Amino acid sequence: MLNIHDLERRWLRYKIKSYIPLFIGSLTAIIALVLVLIYLPFSKEETPVKPKEEVAIVETVTVIETPTETIVKEEIIETVDINVPQNTTEKNIITNTAAEVIPPKVEQNTLVLKPSLHFMDNIENTIPTYIDEEYVSELPTEVNMKTKTETVSEPKVIQAPRKSGLTIKTKSSKDDLKDVIRRFKQNKNPALSLFIAKRYYADGKYQRSYNYALMTNEIDKHIDESWIIFAKSLVKLGQHELASNTLKTYLKTTKSSAAKVLLRKIDAGTFR
Amino acid sequence: MKSSFYLSSKEVFLDIVDAKEYVQLDRVSTLYQSLKDSVKKPLKMILLYGKPGTGKSMMLNKLYEDLKEHQKVVMYHTPLVDEEEFLKSLARDIYGVRPFDELNFTQFHELSEHYEFDTTPLVLLDEAQLYSTALMEKIRLISDTRKIKFIITLHKTEKEDIIAKEHFQTRIWESLELHNATAPELKIYIQKKLMKNNCFDVANMFDNKNTKCIHNITKGNYRDTNKLLDSMFSIYDWYEDNQPTKINYSHISNKIIEMAAIKTGFINA
């Protein structure tokens, strides 16, 4: 005997069951679509963030490699929160990447790019880092003091110059001098020739120190240290009179106390 | 009168093997012609196999009906399990001999030597998978004498494949496989069956959606289709008697097809 009512109920149950997967599938698809539509704009906004980070990282790099004190001061303040890359030793490479990757900050970049020239102008400030232990023993306190006073008081700022100092120490001084001579031949920067003169003088190579001091004076007649090294080298080479006359001539154009002291010592014969 | 309208349709799909109800479909017709051609060939055995409900028995029955007028044909619908009974049945049905004493294989062989036919007698064995291995071996030996030709049907299962391999691999020179119907074939099958029994109105009520629904449920199996439609027309008959407003007389309702599937157990609801 047919029980149609029971059969109809079972059929209804079967139909509901058969539509459940379809319903769930459709609902899932709709929810997925809605979620995609909601989060798609956000994800698009989020994507450009990455380049920003890269820029920030590069900024720190530029800060460290620029020798100019004033720029260092500004740049370090901007990049305190960012992990400073540890490989700051390769200055030239870093400079290149900095120049390439910082398109958004046009004004700063021009400032940062120019420092490659400033670097040469202000090479005097970086010289102590290249000087061997004799010089380091004399000068580093001053240099460190300078950086400490001029840069921001935050500890991270101080870390960067320390690292560069450490890496520089590991370099061979002969190689450094050769490199500086090569660079001087290329750009005739008086700061470099003065550095070379000082190095040769310190090494007891007075003829060479005389030559480079002379070259420095020819390029720039107003560098006090260059005239002093020049005079000292002449004294060491036995040219006391010439050294004395040179300083006298120089003192006509300047009031350098160091030159006066040296002249007095040479004339008194206390400097030999 | 409407009640008899659905009841008569229901009777069309009763699960009986009747050659008169045999429905020729394109693929089945080709297969049947191949079977008839194989009978004419000097083969010892012919194997007809397929899943249950694919029409093996119906085809065998049809073949019997077609050939019995032209040659000696014997058909055994139900398996004869006992060897002696099987041999006695063959002696009686082929040679017209009714041995009162026991009849063993050697005696049957000697008996068969005394008879000659223009065309080799044909024995059709349905459900051959139910025969014992020993008896199947005897059947193989009889077929080797070329005094009798056998056509056997097997359900295609893993076990039955092994039987086929072990006993007939070297002897069966022709094997034919029957398949379930496709959805279009099923539609033709249903409509032809109904029209053969003068149920033209009901035959026209079936559309492609109905036959697709039926095919999804029965997978094109003829036996299952017969069972489903039998049940479906029972439901239609009930609605006709009790709630005729719920019936659409222009086409078959998929709802009622599915209800019939639930009733017959094809759908578990």
Side-chain angles (χ1 to χ4, degrees), chain A residues 2 4 8 11 14-15, chain B residues 238-239 255 258 262-263 267:
Chain A
L2 276 172
I4 293 293
E8 282 182 334
W11 175 81
Y14 160 74
K15 289 307 280 186
Chain B
W238 185 93
Y239 276 115
K255 177 190 170 182
E258 286 168 348
I262 291 166
K263 181 174 175 281
I267 290 174

Side-chain angles (χ1 to χ4, degrees), chain B residues 25-27 181-192 207-208 211-212 215 220 222:
Chain B
L25 302 168
D26 289 355
R27 198 161 45 143
T182 59
E185 282 174 344
L186 204 64
K187 186 183 179 187
I188 294 166
Y189 170 77
I190 293 164
Q191 289 182 327
K192 269 194 167 185
D207 59 18
N208 289 339
T211 46
K212 199 177 173 183
H215 189 265
Y222 296 106

Side-chain angles (χ1 to χ4, degrees), chain B residues 2-236:
Chain B
K2 283 285 176 188
S3 183
S4 62
F5 172 81
Y6 286 113
L7 273 178
S8 58
S9 301
K10 174 181 154 58
E11 285 165 10
V12 172
F13 295 99
L14 288 174
D15 190 24
I16 51 167
V17 180
D18 185 357
K20 289 175 187 172
E21 296 297 322
Y22 186 79
V23 177
Q24 284 286 25
L25 302 168
D26 289 355
R27 198 161 45 143
V28 177
S29 176
T30 309
L31 210 67
Y32 180 70
Q33 196 55 48
S34 300
L35 182 62
K36 280 181 85 173
D37 294 342
S38 300
V39 169
K40 292 172 188 170
K41 292 174 190 172
L43 304 172
K44 293 175 186 175
M45 277 192 183
I46 298 162
L47 173 65
L48 197 60
Y49 68 102
K51 289 175 184 172
T54 48
K56 298 185 294 294
S57 299
M58 184 64 96
M59 189 174 278
L60 209 61
N61 211 51
K62 169 78 174 161
L63 186 71
Y64 173 76
E65 291 296 326
D66 287 354
L67 295 178
K68 69 179 183 185
E69 301 296 327
H70 309 288
Q71 68 179 93
K72 192 74 179 174
V73 185
V74 179
M75 180 162 179
Y76 298 117
H77 292 287
T78 49
L80 300 160
V81 181
D82 183 67
E83 184 185 323
E84 189 178 348
E85 188 192 351
F86 178 75
L87 294 174
K88 279 183 177 177
S89 298
L90 281 183
R92 183 190 64 228
D93 296 333
I94 294 172
Y95 306 120
V97 177
R98 292 178 180 270
F100 294 103
D101 299 325
E102 65 176 60
L103 183 69
N104 58 30
F105 179 75
T106 312
Q107 289 167 329
F108 179 80
H109 181 63
E110 286 171 358
L111 181 68
S112 66
E113 290 294 322
H114 291 92
Y115 293 90
E116 282 294 331
F117 294 92
D118 295 336
T119 314
T120 311
L122 194 63
V123 177
L124 311 177
L125 302 177
D126 200 6
E127 307 283 359
Q129 76 278 358
L130 298 174
Y131 285 84
S132 67
T133 311
L135 189 52
M136 286 307 298
E137 189 61 20
K138 294 291 186 298
I139 292 166
R140 182 184 69 79
L141 291 169
I142 294 166
S143 71
D144 281 347
T145 63
R146 291 190 179 273
K147 292 291 180 185
I148 298 171
K149 186 184 285 186
F150 290 92
I151 297 179
I152 61 170
T153 66
L154 280 173
H155 287 178
K156 194 193 178 188
T157 63
E158 195 177 329
K159 185 188 168 190
E160 286 138 13
D161 273 354
I162 292 165
I163 293 169
K165 277 180 188 173
E166 284 178 353
H167 297 283
F168 310 113
Q169 199 169 28
T170 56
R171 288 167 184 82
I172 294 166
W173 290 5
E174 194 77 63
S175 63
L176 301 166
E177 184 177 7
L178 287 164
H179 298 275
N180 286 336
T182 59
E185 282 174 344
L186 204 64
K187 186 183 179 187
I188 294 166
Y189 170 77
I190 293 164
Q191 289 182 327
K192 269 194 167 185
K193 234 171 151 42
L194 286 164
M195 285 191 283
K196 265 190 172 184
N197 290 275
N198 300 319
C199 301
F200 298 103
D201 294 336
V202 179
N204 288 328
M205 285 166 72
F206 282 89
D207 59 18
N208 289 339
K209 283 183 181 178
N210 299 142
T211 46
K212 199 177 173 183
C213 179
I214 293 166
H215 189 265
N216 284 339
I217 294 164
T218 64
K219 310 296 176 201
N221 188 283
Y222 296 106
R223 188 175 292 157
D224 291 345
T225 302
N226 290 344
K227 193 178 169 185
L228 180 73
L229 292 178
D230 178 82
S231 176
M232 186 194 79
F233 284 118
S234 297
I235 295 166
Y236 260 111

